[in-house]
């Protein structure tokens, strides 16, 4: 999961160029919900739907429930119980029956049942593919489509526990932060969703009109094929294609302050994802009489050929980032004047160049290419016979997975020709074959003469295509945006605006359920530290805001007829 604020990164990246004004200079310049004076060309952009406060259902307010010291103490205990379970997803996990590393997931299910007894009493619980959890709370009005709240149970491994200030599965509470692997990603969402539902269902007189589904995969950190990948088809068969009103999962770029505005940045798109693997087979031999290039040497030239060809940035007016910049130009015009000027002039090319020059923000509008894995050789005095390379791509909307595959073949063609390698490229991949056939003029193609004793096999896995863009207007978005504005009320204006995720979530497996998919961990970016690394932790006051959000969002959805 990616949780880094675009706005904060912009501020850091451009401070040296004097593009960023002090936030103190911006306070008080804008009336609540109004655009800045002098920027009339962007006033019509980024209109916000009304703030939506839940009510009329007889339930106590989220502020009353979740802002007391007692509520915080109870939530700390809940979150500690969940974080203490080492439900790690390893890339090489075997079968459920033989791999003992799955055992913590049994423990986690017991913890959830003990911690949230009312949810387990008043909902229907199904276990999909052993460890996938689907809770269904039936609504009274079958004409209303269900909502789906998602999170994942698994966490990434810990490389070295001795490097942590507090042991990663102790769930240490220091009075402000709760430390532990998964405390932010993504048991933060899991605990918040379950706690909101537990509170709602504890009111025995409350019966939702709209069916509520809570779905928790268990291998999102390993791309979700065994968890959400199995849950998605079950829900599609049950409710039909587009049978769900909306899906809300983790993700987005957080909540952050800039100028006199608080920006909430749910992801309304995800980049595509593909891992390309290269397996080079060459003649080995004694290293006392080496070839001019061993397999590792040949592979190093392939790496250089790839890295010499980074992908180009591209931005159009349908891209979420463009709308984000329109909102920023309207509500925080002085924070990055360069951006405001480019938006006012409708200078798409200039805006593209600007973002492309800001590392790592460039990857919001550019396909990333990362050489992450290389392996070869078995002994220091023997030339390697097999060398393996893995390259990870996150595919921008203007590119595609077949285009990435095609470019791989094109960019390594000189190396292939130099060493007269036989290439077996993406056998049986019809999408690649079709794309390559349409773009033959861009490359010399693969060599036809095969007389060198080397074979390069290209393959892919973990393929997901660029997701469709979810709506940022209409009744569903209005409820979503209105709830965000209500929960995160601010002296200035709260601006929910869609963004693109450079990573991927379990939502890749839910695309057929609804066009309304929002990836949003409803917490402030400053309240979640060190995701996927040492000393991961969450500020519990911010976590309480997440519980408030889910509680009020369910209520607002239940009162709506979308």
């Amino acid at each position: 999961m990616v949780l880094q604020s675009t706005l904060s990164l912009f501020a850091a990246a451009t401070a040296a160029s004097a593009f960023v004004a002090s936030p103190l200079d911006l306070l008080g310049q804008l009336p609540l919900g109004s655009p800045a004076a002098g920027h009339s060309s962007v006033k019509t952009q980024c209109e916000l739907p009304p703030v939506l406060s839940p009510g009329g259902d007889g339930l106590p307010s989220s502020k009353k429930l979740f802002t007391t010291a007692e509520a915080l103490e109870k939530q700390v205990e809940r979150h500690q119980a969940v974080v203490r379970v080492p439900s790690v997803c390893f890339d090489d996990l075997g079968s459920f029956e033989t791999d003992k590393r799955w055992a913590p997931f049994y423990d986690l299910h017991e913890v959830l049942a003990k911690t949230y007894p009312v949810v387990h009493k008043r909902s229907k619980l199904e276990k999909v593919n052993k460890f996938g959890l689907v809770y269904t709370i039936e609504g009274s009005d079958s004409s209303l489509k269900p909502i789906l709240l998602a999170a994942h149970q698994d966490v990434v491994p810990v490389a070295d526990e001795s490097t942590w200030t507090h042991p990663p599965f102790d769930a240490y509470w220091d009075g402000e932060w709760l430390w532990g692997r998964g405390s932010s990603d993504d048991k933060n969402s899991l605990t918040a969703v379950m706690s909101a539902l537990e509170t709602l269902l504890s009111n025995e007189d409350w019966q939702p009109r709209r069916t509520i589904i809570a779905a928790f995969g268990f291998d999102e950190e390993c791309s979700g094929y065994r968890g959400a990948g199995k849950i998605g088809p079950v829900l599609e068969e049950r409710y039909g294609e587009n049978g769900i009103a909306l899906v809300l999962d983790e993700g987005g770029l957080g909540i952050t302050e800039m100028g006199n505005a608080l920006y909430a940045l749910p992801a309304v798109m995800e980049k595509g994802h593909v891992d390309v693997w290269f397996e080079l087979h060459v003649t080995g031999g004694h290293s006392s009489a080496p070839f001019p290039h061993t397999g590792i040497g040949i592979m190093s030239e392939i790496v250089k050929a790839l890295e010499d060809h980074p992908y180009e940035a591209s931005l159009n007016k349908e891209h979420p980032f463009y709308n984000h910049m329109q909102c920023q130009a309207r509500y925080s015009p002085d924070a990055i004047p360069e951006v405001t000027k480019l938006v006012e002039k409708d200078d798409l090319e200039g805006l593209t160049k600007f973002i492309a020059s800001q590392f790592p923000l460039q990857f919001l509008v550019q396909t990333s290419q990362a050489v992450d894995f290389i392996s070869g050789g078995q002994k220091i005095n023997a030339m390697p016979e097999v060398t393996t390379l893995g390259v990870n791509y996150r595919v921008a909307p203007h590119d595609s997975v077949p285009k990435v595959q095609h470019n791989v073949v094109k960019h390594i063609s000189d190396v292939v020709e130099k060493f007269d390698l036989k290439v077996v490229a993406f056998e049986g991949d019809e999408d690649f074959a079709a794309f390559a056939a349409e773009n033959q003029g861009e490359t010399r193609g693969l060599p036809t003469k095969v007389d060198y004793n080397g074979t390069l096999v290209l393959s892919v896995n973990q393929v997901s295509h660029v997701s469709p863009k979810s709506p940022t207007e209409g009744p569903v978005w209005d409820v979503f945006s209105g709830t965000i504005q209500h929960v995160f009320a601010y002296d200035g204006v709260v601006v929910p605006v869609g963004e693109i995720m450079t990573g991927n979530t379990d939502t890749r497996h839910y695309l057929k359920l609804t066009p309304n998919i929002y990836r949003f961990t409803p917490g402030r970016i400053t309240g979640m530290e060190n995701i996927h690394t040492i000393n991961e932790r969450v500020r519990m006051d911010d976590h309480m805001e997440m519980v408030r959000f889910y509680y009020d969002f369910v209520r607002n959805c239940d009162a709506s007829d979308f």
Side-chain angles (χ1 to χ4, degrees):
M1 184 183 75
V2 176
L3 272 174
Q4 192 166 25
S5 166
T6 304
L7 294 170
S8 299
L9 286 170
F10 255 129
T14 58
S17 303
F19 290 149
V20 182
S22 166
L24 294 176
D25 296 334
L26 302 174
L27 292 176
Q29 291 185 3
L30 302 177
L32 181 63
S34 299
H39 296 276
S40 59
S41 63
V42 294
K43 284 184 179 180
T44 59
Q45 307 298 331
C46 199
E47 296 289 344
L48 300 177
V51 175
L52 189 58
S53 305
D57 53 11
L59 294 172
S61 73
S62 60
K63 271 194 173 182
K64 180 178 180 180
L65 289 169
F66 302 116
T67 56
T68 66
E70 292 78 12
L72 175 61
E73 181 181 359
K74 184 173 186 178
Q75 197 60 20
V76 167
E77 292 174 356
R78 286 170 166 170
H79 203 35
Q80 284 179 318
V82 173
V83 171
R84 282 173 179 151
V85 182
S87 49
V88 177
C89 187
F90 297 95
D91 285 339
D92 61 345
L93 279 167
S95 71
F96 301 137
E97 291 74 21
T98 61
D99 196 325
K100 295 180 179 180
R101 292 175 296 175
W102 288 111
F105 289 89
Y106 293 106
D107 299 333
L108 181 56
H109 293 182
E110 292 181 5
V111 167
L112 291 173
K114 181 179 179 180
T115 306
Y116 301 105
V118 179
V119 171
H120 286 77
K121 178 181 178 181
R122 293 193 60 186
S123 69
K124 176 186 177 182
L125 172 60
E126 298 170 89
K127 295 191 176 182
V128 178
N129 199 26
K130 198 73 165 183
F131 297 120
L133 299 177
V134 178
Y135 297 88
T136 303
I137 304 162
E138 290 290 345
S140 60
D141 188 345
S142 60
S143 69
L144 298 175
K145 291 182 178 181
I147 61 170
L148 171 59
L149 306 178
H152 61 87
Q153 308 167 55
D154 57 305
V155 301
V156 297
V158 174
D160 182 358
E161 292 194 13
S162 70
T163 61
W164 285 60
T165 302
H166 306 288
F169 295 107
D170 276 11
Y172 179 79
W173 164 238
D174 67 9
E176 181 182 9
W177 297 84
L178 194 151
W179 302 60
R181 172 62 81 229
S183 59
S184 282
D185 184 11
D186 178 41
K187 291 179 176 178
N188 198 13
S189 300
L190 174 65
T191 305
V193 169
M194 289 294 283
S195 298
L197 295 178
E198 183 80 0
T199 305
L200 286 164
L201 294 173
S202 293
N203 189 321
E204 294 183 1
D205 295 330
W206 184 74
Q207 170 68 35
R209 297 168 61 230
R210 185 188 299 275
T211 294
I212 305 162
I213 304 165
F216 306 132
F218 57 88
D219 64 336
E220 190 273 348
E221 300 294 0
C222 304
S223 295
Y225 290 98
R226 288 194 260 201
K230 301 296 184 182
I231 293 172
V234 168
L235 296 179
E236 184 184 351
E237 181 178 356
R238 180 171 302 162
Y239 297 104
E241 190 168 339
N242 295 333
I244 302 291
L246 66 89
V247 172
L248 177 59
D249 198 2
E250 61 159 343
L253 300 177
I255 298 173
T256 191
E257 182 178 351
M258 174 170 268
N260 199 38
L262 194 68
Y263 289 84
L265 302 171
V268 295
M269 287 185 77
E270 285 186 351
K271 295 174 75 174
H273 176 197
V274 61
D275 295 332
V276 179
W277 290 92
F278 303 70
E279 189 174 272
L280 177 63
H281 299 259
V282 294
T283 301
H286 200 287
S287 57
S288 62
F291 300 134
H293 296 275
T294 66
I296 293 173
I298 295 172
M299 197 67 90
S300 69
E301 293 200 22
I302 289 175
V303 170
K304 185 176 187 304
L306 294 172
E307 292 189 339
D308 282 347
H309 294 88
Y311 283 74
E312 293 185 359
S314 181
L315 181 64
N316 60 44
K317 293 185 178 181
E318 298 303 314
H319 195 290
F321 179 77
Y322 181 75
N323 189 39
H324 177 176
M325 291 301 96
Q326 287 181 312
C327 293
Q328 182 177 307
R330 174 172 182 172
Y331 296 106
S332 306
D334 299 319
I336 307 178
E338 180 79 359
V339 168
T340 301
K341 291 175 183 177
L342 291 168
V343 171
E344 287 182 323
K345 293 189 294 185
D346 200 23
D347 186 352
L348 198 60
E349 181 180 354
L351 191 58
T352 303
K353 288 180 179 178
F354 180 83
I355 182 64
S357 69
Q358 308 297 323
F359 176 85
L361 296 176
Q362 69 203 71
F363 296 115
L364 294 172
V365 295
Q366 176 184 340
T367 294
S368 61
Q369 173 181 253
V371 177
D372 290 332
F373 181 93
I374 190 163
S375 174
Q378 295 183 343
K379 202 171 185 305
I380 192 61
N381 62 348
M383 290 186 291
E385 297 175 358
V386 181
T387 305
T388 303
L389 173 72
V391 187
N392 174 271
Y393 293 88
R394 304 302 173 111
V395 185
H398 61 280
D399 292 322
S400 68
V401 170
K403 181 178 179 179
V404 166
Q405 295 172 264
H406 175 73
N407 283 353
V408 164
V409 174
K410 178 173 68 173
H411 295 153
I412 68 172
S413 59
D414 286 343
V415 181
V416 168
E417 185 174 5
K418 176 180 177 179
F419 294 101
D420 206 9
L421 302 177
K422 176 184 178 181
V423 177
V424 180
F426 313 114
E427 277 193 326
D429 191 325
E430 295 180 1
D431 290 339
F432 163 71
F435 187 95
E438 294 175 2
N439 295 273
Q440 288 182 359
E442 294 188 16
T443 177
R444 292 186 300 275
L446 303 179
T448 56
K449 181 181 178 182
V450 181
D451 54 12
Y452 181 83
N453 194 21
T455 299
L456 179 64
V457 180
L458 306 180
S459 61
V460 298
N461 65 7
Q462 307 290 357
V463 175
S464 59
H465 299 282
V466 177
S467 73
K469 180 182 174 183
S470 297
T472 53
E473 58 183 10
V476 174
W477 173 263
D478 289 352
V479 171
F480 182 47
S481 174
T483 306
I484 293 172
Q485 294 176 67
H486 163 70
V487 172
F488 297 95
Y490 179 69
D491 288 340
V493 59
V494 179
V495 185
V497 56
E499 252 299 353
I500 188 169
M501 277 195 72
T502 56
N504 298 99
T505 66
D506 272 342
T507 60
R508 72 176 84 183
H509 304 292
Y510 298 147
L511 297 178
K512 292 183 179 181
L513 296 177
T514 177
N516 303 303
I517 296 180
Y518 301 105
R519 305 153 187 91
F520 182 56
T521 303
R524 300 173 192 264
I525 199 68
T526 55
M528 293 172 277
E529 295 283 348
N530 294 12
I531 290 172
H532 282 215
T533 190
I534 298 166
N535 291 335
E536 181 179 352
R537 57 196 182 274
V538 62
R539 184 186 286 117
M540 287 303 294
D541 283 346
D542 294 282
H543 173 83
M544 296 302 287
E545 283 188 315
M546 291 178 59
V547 181
R548 286 183 56 211
F549 173 81
Y550 287 118
Y551 177 84
D552 284 344
F553 184 61
V554 170
R555 294 171 67 197
N556 279 337
C557 288
D558 203 53
S560 173
D561 291 325
F562 57 63

